[in-house]
Amino acid sequence: MRKQDNDVILRSMTLVIFFIILTFSFALFFGGHYTPGGGFVGGLMTAAALILIIIAYDMKTLKEAVSIDFKKLLNVGLIFAIGMPFVSMLFGKNFFQHFHTYIDIPVFGKTSLHTAVLFDLGVYLIVVSVTLIIILTIGENE
Amino acid sequence: MNDLIQNIAISFIMVLILIGALLSLVSTIGLLRLPDVYTRTHAASKASTLGVMMMMFGAFLYFWIVKGHFNAELFLAVLFIFITAPVGAHLITRSAYYYGVEPSKSTSHDDLKETNVDQS
């Protein structure tokens, strides 16, 4: 068995496909209120795009490209998911009661801004960071 | 007139999906009947990629023309399959070669083996 050292095709295709997967995961995340998708699926797809970089390059490249400590990102996601219910208590609503407004944004037209997105952002960050923590800790233990 | 155009479009979509399913069947038969890994990967990657792409494009056209819904995700999926499936076949074949899988007995010439001997 020979060492495989020439990964030109895989690496250059990864550069193209990484952005397609990332864009699609953002589309899934932001379309989660009206279409199938949401924080969990979007987070898993973002994690899959980052894992593709680990497969094609290595973990050092991922750490140079995305210089985020995923344990801290997990904490940020948990703060979003826990903080959103208390924010709705601050505005005189019940615990965990969502509320929304309609705002005219120039490009998108009439857009509904909903506090469920903040909770979903927490789910997204937690899923991304938990998946990558699992993969990175298993992969580094050589 | 509008009905006529829609009927032509639906027949075109039917032909697309039928040819796509037929190509997938051909790729399965090739997977069963061909002798070694390399020819099997050849059949599996090429024919089923084109088959899946044609079926997806047919579904895309169906939702666009009949239902009036432009589904960009299906179009993106066609592009994605077109990019990724040959790369996957290339990686499988290459790792099979480096792992030492012998090609079939009727192989007459192996250029890659000679270059590898020259380098090492």
Side-chain angles (χ1 to χ4, degrees):
Chain A
M1 196 169 109
R2 282 162 43 90
K3 186 175 175 294
Q4 302 183 17
D5 47 0
N6 190 1
D7 278 342
V8 180
I9 295 178
L10 178 63
R11 288 184 176 184
S12 48
M13 277 302 110
T14 301
L15 286 183
V16 178
I17 284 168
F18 173 72
F19 290 104
I20 297 180
I21 299 178
L22 208 63
T23 319
F24 189 62
S25 77
F26 285 153
L28 276 179
F29 171 68
F30 285 112
H33 201 80
Y34 297 108
T35 54
F40 188 78
V41 186
L44 273 183
M45 275 198 85
T46 309
L50 294 174
I51 287 166
L52 186 66
I53 284 189
I54 299 181
I55 291 173
Y57 295 87
D58 50 357
M59 290 181 188
K60 275 182 195 165
T61 318
L62 180 76
K63 279 172 187 165
E64 282 170 9
V66 186
S67 60
I68 298 173
D69 189 3
F70 288 107
K71 286 172 188 131
K72 283 175 188 164
L73 195 69
L74 178 65
N75 292 338
V76 173
L78 281 172
I79 285 170
F80 265 104
I82 297 170
M84 207 293 304
F86 288 106
V87 166
S88 59
M89 277 176 84
L90 284 181
F91 284 94
K93 302 265 170 62
N94 287 330
F95 183 71
F96 231 120
Q97 187 180 7
H98 295 296
F99 49 96
H100 65 279
T101 54
Y102 289 101
I103 288 180
D104 274 330
I105 300 175
V107 182
F108 296 102
K110 185 183 175 191
T111 313
S112 69
L113 296 182
H114 206 287
T115 51
V117 176
L118 294 177
F119 182 72
D120 227 17
L121 185 66
V123 175
Y124 175 85
L125 293 178
I126 289 168
V127 170
V128 171
S129 48
V130 164
T131 314
L132 276 162
I133 284 169
I134 290 172
I135 298 291
L136 284 174
T137 34
I138 291 173
E140 273 174 349
N141 196 2
E142 286 172 349
Chain B
M1 188 62 193
N2 206 9
D3 273 354
L4 182 68
I5 292 175
Q6 200 158 28
N7 280 339
I8 292 170
I10 286 176
S11 346
F12 181 61
I13 289 162
M14 279 169 65
V15 169
L16 267 183
I17 290 181
L18 272 177
I19 293 178
L22 205 69
L23 276 173
S24 301
L25 182 69
V26 165
S27 124
T28 315
I29 295 171
L31 206 60
L32 289 173
R33 285 190 54 87
L34 287 174
D36 62 346
V37 175
Y38 310 106
T39 46
R40 276 178 187 160
T41 322
H42 171 80
S45 67
K46 244 179 184 169
S48 70
T49 303
L50 186 60
V52 169
M53 275 170 65
M54 284 176 92
M55 281 194 278
M56 275 183 174
F57 193 63
F60 168 73
L61 282 182
Y62 178 77
F63 280 111
W64 191 21
I65 294 172
V66 181
K67 302 281 180 185
H69 169 64
F70 186 87
N71 197 342
E73 289 163 5
L74 267 175
F75 195 73
L76 202 67
V78 173
L79 198 72
F80 193 80
I81 292 284
F82 183 60
I83 296 174
T84 51
V87 179
H90 158 75
L91 289 173
I92 290 171
T93 320
R94 201 184 62 156
S95 47
Y97 190 84
Y98 283 134
Y99 204 74
V101 177
E102 291 292 321
S104 88
K105 293 227 165 42
S106 55
T107 309
S108 62
H109 198 66
D110 190 355
D111 270 334
L112 190 56
K113 199 174 198 171
E114 288 161 14
T115 47
N116 280 342
V117 166
D118 284 345
Q119 279 172 4
S120 63

